[in-house]
Amino acid sequence: MQNIDELSEEQARAELKRLSEEMAKADIAYYQNDAPYLTDAEYDSLKRRNEQIEAKFPHLRLANGPSQRIGAAVKSEFGKVEHKIPMLSLGDIFSEEELMDFTAGVNRFLGNKTDNQITYSAEPKIDGLSFSARFEHGKFIQGATRGDGKTGEDITENLKVIKDLPLEIKAPDLPEILEVRGEVYMSKADFFELNKKNAAEHKKVFANPRNAAAGSLRQLDANITKERKLSLFVYTWGDVSEITWKSQSEFLAKVRSWGFKTNPYNRICHTTQDLINYFEDLQQERANLLYDIDGIVYKVDDLALQNRLGFLTRTPRWAIAHKFPAEQAFTKINNIRVQVGRTGALTPVADLEPINVGGVIVSHATLHNEDEIKRKDIRINDTVIIQRAGDVIPQIVRVVKEKRPQDSQEFIFPQKCPVCGAHAIKEEDEAVRRCTGGLTCPAQATERLIHFVSKDAFDISGLGEKIIEDFYRENIIKTPSDIFTLEERNSGGDLFSHHNGLHLESREGWGKKSVDNLFKAINEKRKISLPRFIYALGIRQVGAATSLLIAKHYGSFLTFMQDMLVKNTEKLLEIDGIGEAMVKDIVEFFAEEHNQQTIKLLLQQIKVDDFLDTTDYTSQLSGKTIVFTGTLEKMTRAEAKAKALSLGAKVAGSVSKNTDFVVMGSDAGSKAEKAKELGITILSEDAFFALIS
Ligand code: IVH
């Protein structure tokens, strides 16, 4: 790119036009389609270049160029809202020097002799999208996005479903008209949850929490907004009938007292050094926050001073946004490998040229699955942009195609398991390819052992991943029951045994003490609860929550296994929350001979406790299986279920011959029909109510 100092007027004009067009395109992708294709850092550098050229050739500035625009025009489907007070944006800075220029400028403007006479409100810059919410006489009446700063989209219904926004406020000091403004965001946890769900349903996967928040807020159907969990913080105001606060910090305290959420990290700072310290503290804390922030906003706290400072063209002189260096970086893909997981899933992983991303050295990134590699057209030796969000595994944002070398190599996804060589097949409706080797595949076998001793399963702390891998390779532990015969085999059995013993205590880095501790940890787990045991088996799709449901429903492992061995799935299907697909995986698991053998050997070593609970087994409902259908009037479905469970009943999701009662509310459908067919007792809501009270 040409040095700005060397640009002729003609070249500068052409360059400003090019930048304006490029940024307009990027703005549409970012603001309207929630699908950015430039990284924040790339966008910022275009913006900087535009600003620098404009500074040198002020007369060439385009009337509708990037420096004159805020955000993007509104999507047409939403109603429009004119902002009585425009929603402005902030200037950005990227370094400590620029921060010192900012505070020096503020003091110079105000005629102060030294640079440390001003109090600032320092606030995290939330990476979401800004909103304005109008209250009249304490009632929420209208919500809007920023739009182009003058006109936004009407998102009244969408804001109503965000739990952080009070819809009615009663406070004696509340202005008659009050517009609060702030940021709507999605927490990192809710973002991952949403993407996981969307990926499973082959729906849109969002690039980051900000896009997910934007896509969720700007839904014409507010029910969709409601399903997506959004949150918000208030940090400023718009149209207000009477401003009764004298500073930004007083405003924040007031809105908090009225029931709005403000950011808990907002701080008062007195010197430039305070601001620098605050910036560094938050940069450190950034990964631990529950939501994304992309910098710090510094605001002169005193409103009288804010008024004196006033505005530049479209940003205040009394505030600035100090952006964090992007947690993105360029690096090269040295290799692509495939890892094999517990259920045989083949997951491609990129080995990267190690690179520092926001203070952490990154050398691998997950590529998810073969479709993802195709979709992003990722090849070995490509230069890519990687991104690290919080403490999650780094992701590849995109390939930098302009930098693709001659020797880039397409990755051919293996059709065989790279560990055991068995066929790897991809079911039609699945994104992942799986190794069919089962437990004969060393990768699957060790991953299953690792799962077996993990925290929610047997929780044997002395057996880490490395030890399991070593023991597997050396034939010391091949199957879960081997864990429980370890002690016996260690000393070489009895006097007549020809076996030499394992003598783990003489392994490098081990000793008598650590071996004794390990045996103690193992022996403590010879008795295990039913939910833990079911979970430890590592059946596909059966997580800790499902294991608990199964344990509650069956009470003992043997009854559960017997049903599974004869493929009697009726009882299993009764459980609310367990569907056909999961039942299929469970039955397939028990049908495998090697799994039966594993369980048999294991049960010779350990005892699985029956599942006991504290329900009242003397009630009339005790031991009975109940199905609820239709709408209940006197209580919610959840309440009715909880009550039935506490009285010792089982609550099933579908009707079968094992059902004892069907409780029928209004608008009951096919379940009631089926109950009639099977001759099952049908209770009205009143009859059920009488039974439980
Ligand atoms: S103050 C006139 N405070 O960053 C000043 N903005 O370009 C209005 N933002 O449009 C903004 N956290 O979307 C302010 N604590 C905070 C903020 C914040 C995030 C966003 C907001 C604004 C943009 C600045």
Side-chain angles (χ1 to χ4, degrees), residues 87-92 123-130 146 182-183 235-236 248 266 294 297 299 311 316 318-319 321:
M87 285 181 83
L88 297 172
S89 95
L90 299 170
D92 319 306
E123 307 169 6
K125 185 169 181 305
I126 315 300
D127 198 7
L129 50 151
S130 37
R146 181 170 72 177
E183 205 85 351
Y235 50 68
T236 193
Q248 166 72 5
N266 295 341
D294 58 346
V297 180
K299 301 173 183 172
F311 290 82
W318 44 265

Side-chain angles (χ1 to χ4, degrees), residues 53 104 106 135 149-150 214 499 525 574:
I53 300 176
V106 166
F135 290 78
K150 292 193 203 88
H499 200 262
K525 301 295 155 77
E574 283 170 359

Side-chain angles (χ1 to χ4, degrees), residues 293-319:
I293 62 174
D294 58 346
I296 302 295
V297 180
Y298 311 120
K299 301 173 183 172
V300 170
D301 194 44
D302 188 319
L303 290 201
L305 294 182
Q306 283 190 8
N307 286 334
R308 280 177 58 194
L309 285 156
F311 290 82
L312 295 157
T313 347
R314 47 173 211 130
T315 58
R317 208 177 268 115
W318 44 265

Side-chain angles (χ1 to χ4, degrees), residues 476-529:
I476 297 173
I477 294 178
K478 283 289 198 192
T479 174
S481 60
D482 294 343
I483 294 170
F484 295 97
T485 58
L486 206 55
E487 185 169 10
E488 195 185 315
R489 288 182 289 137
N490 192 48
S491 52
D494 54 50
L495 220 52
F496 307 102
S497 165
H498 300 293
H499 200 262
N500 280 329
L502 301 167
H503 300 297
L504 296 178
E505 57 284 351
S506 44
R507 285 176 80 89
E508 207 190 312
W510 290 57
K512 178 136 181 21
K513 182 113 181 77
S514 49
V515 173
D516 284 348
N517 282 343
L518 175 62
F519 294 155
K520 188 163 168 273
I522 292 173
N523 288 330
E524 276 169 9
K525 301 295 155 77
R526 284 185 187 271
K527 251 167 72 71
I528 187 99
S529 75

Side-chain angles (χ1 to χ4, degrees), residues 2-34:
Q2 206 176 350
N3 193 326
I4 291 171
D5 292 332
E6 293 164 4
L7 288 178
S8 69
E9 181 155 336
E10 252 340 279
Q11 287 169 323
R13 181 171 303 162
E15 184 69 353
L16 286 175
K17 180 161 175 280
R18 181 187 73 84
L19 288 165
S20 172
E21 284 165 5
E22 196 163 330
M23 289 172 74
K25 237 168 61 195
D27 279 344
I28 290 175
Y30 185 91
Y31 289 107
Q32 296 192 7
N33 304 334
D34 306 321

